[in-house]
Amino acid sequence: MKLRFSLAAALGVAATFGIPSHGTAQIRASERGGTSQLVDGTTIRVEYGRPQARGRELYGEVIPWGKVWTGANWATTLEIDKDITINGHALKAGKYSVWLQIQPEEWTAIIDPQPRRFHIMPPPESDDQLRFPVRPQAGTHVEILTWTFPEVRPTGTKLQFAWGEKTVAFDIGVQPSRPLTTLPEIAERVTGSYRLQNGEPLGGTEVSFDVRYEDGRLIAKWEGSPNPLLAEPFLVSLGEGMFVPGERDEHGELVDVLMELIFEFTPVEGRATGFELRALDDELWGTARRVN
């Protein structure tokens, strides 16, 4: 006698014995997680399985030395909607799987063009992959595998892996939506010395404002600037003689672009005779005249 088992009966047995059906949430040892970051118009997204340490010795035991590893379940994926650089290496827009070859001292990062791979099926080495060395750092214990963006700047971000007592940082650079360099013929129109009469929001004082051209960038020296990081800002072009200030750190690197302030230079016969300083709502915050 053949035993027939209907779908309704199968669902009944599943309900009776607590067996998950397709409509029932399943408990996983390693849940899926994700994080994303927008950097100057470029979206960077990471999705990954999140295994837990649970007191185990992770590196060299749970993950044997030399193993090409990606986390739990389906491979960690990196998706970018524009071209980027990662640790100085060019990477085209697209979706990739991310793997780490674990060694005692130096690891190898592997960015593979096939995003849909199971964790026990690492990709074979190929010319289509991006491979580069990374050096793990010791960190405070992280129980659940975590990818984060702990640092964001106008030109890129830091993507960080952390699990157990190890962290690995990846430096990501993006294509700027606005050029940070200025053509010499445009720079020539605005370089020089000015006297800036601050409006009421800036105290109403008259101060010096000098613009110079170095390494393809316009740099201002703003006496009595409202922000210490704007004492010598970059001038980032918006086009048509308009610029916004870019904050610089102690190393001279761009750390932020302030769209709230606009310097609008007025050219006469190809050379600016002065400029207006306006807030984002077009309120006039100051006027300047050329003195040299």
Side-chain angles (χ1 to χ4, degrees), residues 72-240:
N73 303 324
W74 292 103
T76 298
T77 59
L78 171 66
E79 186 172 9
I80 49 177
D81 62 354
K82 296 180 182 177
D83 297 353
I84 64 167
T85 61
I86 181 166
N87 284 26
H89 303 275
L91 188 64
K92 294 288 187 182
K95 190 172 185 178
Y96 303 84
S97 57
V98 180
W99 306 77
L100 295 166
Q101 186 172 35
I102 308 298
Q103 297 287 7
E105 298 295 331
E106 190 174 78
W107 299 0
T108 299
I110 304 166
I111 314 296
D112 188 84
Q114 282 191 298
R116 185 69 171 172
R117 297 189 74 94
F118 203 58
H119 72 108
I120 60 173
M121 301 174 64
E125 188 169 352
S126 74
D127 293 338
D128 295 331
Q129 293 171 345
L130 177 60
R131 288 175 171 252
F132 54 90
V134 291
R135 187 168 288 274
Q137 302 295 321
T140 57
H141 179 78
V142 176
E143 175 64 20
I144 304 176
L145 190 153
T146 303
W147 289 85
T148 58
F149 293 96
E151 176 187 302
V152 181
R153 57 191 187 278
T155 56
T157 182
K158 178 191 289 186
L159 174 62
Q160 184 168 281
F161 159 94
W163 195 35
E165 280 75 39
K166 297 290 186 183
T167 68
V168 174
F170 299 85
D171 185 72
I172 293 179
V174 303
Q175 298 175 349
S177 59
R178 300 192 183 280
L180 300 180
T181 57
T182 304
L183 293 174
E185 55 267 30
I186 296 176
E188 188 177 2
R189 301 173 192 170
V190 299
T191 51
S193 298
Y194 301 82
R195 294 296 295 177
L196 170 61
Q197 179 63 53
N198 288 323
E200 186 175 336
L202 296 180
T205 57
E206 186 175 271
V207 299
S208 64
F209 191 96
D210 300 304
V211 182
R212 66 185 188 274
Y213 188 53
E214 293 181 2
D215 299 324
R217 295 183 175 186
L218 285 171
I219 303 173
K221 186 172 183 179
W222 187 356
E223 179 189 354
S225 67
N227 181 337
L229 290 177
L230 293 181
E232 290 198 46
F234 289 124
L235 295 184
V236 180
S237 177
L238 296 180
E240 300 297 329

